[in-house]
Amino acid sequence: QVQLVESGGGLVQPGGSLRLSCAASALSLDNYAIGWFRQAPGKEREGVACISPSDGSTYYADSVKGRFTIFRDNAKNTVYLQINSLKPEDTAVYYCAAGLWPFYDYDWANQYEYDYWGQGTQVTVSA
């Protein structure tokens, strides 16, 4: 049974950093793209980053470029999201998701391209 388990969320002050983890089981990172999404209260879920399975290409939302870094450790079957220079507007539940690559039109931020989802981890940025 495929499982994605996120961890690493928490309460952090503005300007701080967090590293989120997405541990995958019964699923190979050689075939699945892993995306990170977030959903803030009252807002729609949005894609923030994705890493492809083939060459490890990475994709980012404009709002997080330069602050978020997605990377993977194939030996651990885990994908990470390093978040730096956190802002209050980054407060959200962060989810990782897996989908067979390539996506139609390489639309990595389309949540409907993803087949499996984790349960989410809360990130709160507040002084």
Side-chain angles (χ1 to χ4, degrees):
Q1 182 178 358
V2 173
Q3 274 194 315
L4 299 174
V5 179
E6 302 99 332
S7 61
L11 173 64
V12 64
Q13 292 186 342
S17 298
L18 280 176
R19 179 174 292 182
L20 308 183
S21 300
C22 173
S25 58
L27 177 151
S28 172
L29 297 184
D30 291 334
N31 301 315
Y32 282 81
I34 302 296
W36 281 97
F37 289 76
R38 66 184 180 185
Q39 188 165 21
K43 294 188 177 181
E44 292 187 356
R45 187 175 297 182
E46 63 168 343
V48 296
C50 175
I51 186 165
S52 72
S54 48
D55 59 0
S57 294
T58 55
Y59 307 85
Y60 297 95
D62 288 343
S63 60
V64 306
K65 280 181 181 176
R67 298 190 300 121
F68 288 24
T69 303
I70 187 171
F71 60 100
R72 67 188 183 199
D73 183 336
N74 283 8
K76 295 183 178 180
N77 224 37
T78 299
V79 173
Y80 303 92
L81 186 69
Q82 177 69 38
I83 310 176
N84 298 328
S85 303
L86 276 156
K87 305 175 181 180
E89 52 264 42
D90 294 319
T91 295
V93 178
Y94 283 71
Y95 301 89
C96 67
L100 279 173
W101 190 259
F103 298 162
Y104 177 76
D105 208 24
Y106 290 84
D107 187 5
W108 67 269
N110 181 354
Q111 61 181 316
Y112 298 105
E113 292 283 4
Y114 294 84
D115 304 303
Y116 304 100
W117 291 81
Q119 81 289 350
T121 186
Q122 177 70 48
V123 172
T124 303
V125 185
S126 176

